[in-house]
Amino acid sequence: MMTMMTTSIKWQNMENNIMILLFSLLIPSSASSTGTSSMKPKLIPYFDSTLSQAASFIAHRGSTAVLHRFFPPRPGINKILWFLYADNITTTKCGFKVMAASSYSLQSGKAKPQQLAVYSSPPQVFLGSFVEHQMYCHLLCGVRNLEAIDAIRTPYAVGLVKAFGLLESKWEQLCDDLECGFPSIEVSDVAMREDVIKALGGPQLELSNRIRLICRGNNDNWGGIVYRLWPNIRYIRCVCTGSMMQYYPKLKYYAGEVPIVGGDYFASECCVGINLDIMQPPETTRFVILPTAAYFEFLPFNMNEESNDAADETVDLSSVEVGKMYEVVVTTYRGLYRYRLGDVVKVVGFYNKSPEVEFVMRAPKTHAEILTEKDLVSAIENFQLAVRGAMMKIEIVEFASFLDQESQPKQMKVFAEVQEESDFMEDKLEESTMILKRCISSLESGFGALYKVEKDKGQVGNLVVFILRPGAFDKLYEVAIRNGTPASQYKPPKIIRNHEIVTLLQKYSFVTLNDI
């Protein structure tokens, strides 16, 4: 009996190993998502079939054609300062490789030489092991090639705000490194150091002095620094819609007169739509759905006083109605079947027969959620205006919310990180706290119908606002990267669903406000 059982287990293990081998042949890797709200990315099978390659190729060619219509290629001025980070390849217990979808071509070795030649940074900077050092080396190589830089790019606006913030704090070190011809000793990745040293081409004293003059002349005003450092640049490109709209004013401050052009609607799961008018600001950006990129369905989405749930039945591409909102559902060439992307879009028109959509927000995850990303962003804008109206020098640089469903009644918590130069950082703590308490009503008034209904029923208690020290959300960024979130694809969470994140943020709270 024991022999038969042992033989059965051996056969079962062999069958499992065969299945794993077959899957590893069909699916060479998994793409990791942003992991925005949970700080742990989900894994998306990356089945690189002929059909999926063709669909992706058509989408990217279309995107490039639109870009070249506005900005035709220029010989000699053709470098892109691309803040992209390939991250480390990890392996699951079953042997599947995991990497960011945006870095697949770099990690897989499929990037073509002509593609790599366009980047101002050498390959090892993209493949480096520490994000801040990679960002620094991107900047160093970018200023080394300042006359040849045609554009600056990154997947999301928050990545460029971080990069320009690093430029503000490290410009003297950048000049020193240019002067001596090699990167700071802090950059410890040997392969990256060697590649950067080659790219610098020896000491650049004249260039170093030129950049010192530019940066010293700022008088702490970094507005328009992009054009002053890169005189031949024509555009900056990144996604500024959705939750990234928050970073657009800061990015515009750095960019000055340099246009910020919109990105496309490309998800880790598949390409969804392209932006045909890339010069539009984020609030009017629309995407044309690509009917050949996947099979698209749309789940009607209603935001009213009773629920924010999607309907039960989907409609196809030709049945959507202008003015209505939908959650996007895709069946992809890479094997995802009727997969809910979690994105809510609004149909605003048609281009030929394909819908044009605006990105609205991320969809609620559960029936219990009573606050959307869109509501939260609007509420914080109201709060910031009220604070300014009270003549307080307080700038909110990052924020998120959490619905504590374990407390009785439920309680909404909002976390707001303030800028270092804010009044809170000076000797006005008690006065600032009193004024902010009077502004809480302006914050809560923007929370939307669902929250108000629950509050009126007594199912939600008093709102609590935690004012966080500068740098608090950077700690979330570090945790997310350690947990496998691709650095290029990181988006700070707006709706938190993880108690660990709440605990971490509360450690950086120095003032707690409530609406009592």
Side-chain angles (χ1 to χ4, degrees), residues 355-370:
E356 283 187 304
V357 301
E358 290 178 352
F359 184 91
V360 178
M361 62 182 179
R362 293 288 293 167
K365 294 283 186 182
T366 67
H367 299 285
E369 291 192 10
I370 58 175

Side-chain angles (χ1 to χ4, degrees), residues 154-263:
T154 197
Y156 296 111
V158 64
L160 278 187
V161 171
K162 285 181 177 293
F164 292 139
L166 186 66
L167 173 65
E168 278 194 61
S169 61
K170 297 283 188 178
W171 68 267
E172 291 182 282
Q173 183 64 56
L174 285 167
C175 293
D176 290 343
D177 292 354
L178 281 173
E179 189 173 336
C180 64
F182 54 83
S184 164
I185 195 169
E186 293 177 5
V187 180
S188 54
D189 186 310
V190 176
M192 185 161 65
R193 283 186 66 85
E194 290 178 353
D195 256 16
V196 172
I197 290 170
K198 290 178 185 176
L200 293 178
Q204 305 294 327
L205 180 59
E206 184 179 343
L207 184 59
S208 173
N209 290 336
R210 176 180 170 182
I211 294 169
R212 282 186 201 277
L213 285 173
I214 293 171
C215 294
R216 276 182 184 154
N218 285 330
N219 295 322
D220 292 327
N221 178 12
W222 289 81
I225 187 62
V226 171
Y227 184 71
R228 296 202 298 276
L229 275 181
W230 293 283
N232 293 315
I233 191 169
R234 289 190 293 176
Y235 65 92
I236 293 171
R237 190 172 202 191
C238 57
V239 171
C240 293
T241 49
S243 62
M244 290 297 112
M245 202 180 297
Q246 168 197 348
Y247 307 99
Y248 184 76
K250 186 69 173 179
L251 186 54
K252 190 64 182 169
Y253 165 77
Y254 288 120
E257 297 302 313
V258 178
I260 300 172
V261 303

Side-chain angles (χ1 to χ4, degrees), residues 33-41 243 362 373 476 480 485 489-497 501:
S33 70
T34 57
T36 303
S37 59
S38 65
M39 309 309 289
K40 267 196 168 183
S243 62
R362 293 288 293 167
E373 277 188 5
L476 291 190
T485 296
Q489 296 179 206
Y490 175 77
K491 291 180 283 189
K494 291 293 176 279
I495 306 296
I496 299 172
R497 303 179 180 94
I501 299 178

Side-chain angles (χ1 to χ4, degrees), residues 437-456:
K437 280 186 177 181
R438 294 199 293 268
C439 295
I440 284 185
S441 60
S442 65
L443 174 66
E444 196 168 25
S445 66
F447 278 173
L450 291 173
Y451 176 88
K452 290 170 186 173
V453 168
E454 294 284 300
K455 186 73 182 283
D456 291 343

Side-chain angles (χ1 to χ4, degrees), residues 44-45 47 49 51-52 55 268-272 292-296 329-339 341:
I44 302 165
F47 177 36
S49 66
L51 287 173
S52 67
S268 300
E269 294 83 356
C270 67
C271 300
V272 181
T292 58
Y295 180 74
F296 292 98
V329 180
V330 295
T331 297
T332 73
Y333 293 109
R334 291 180 179 144
L336 296 176
Y337 176 70
R338 305 196 80 189
Y339 179 91
L341 286 182

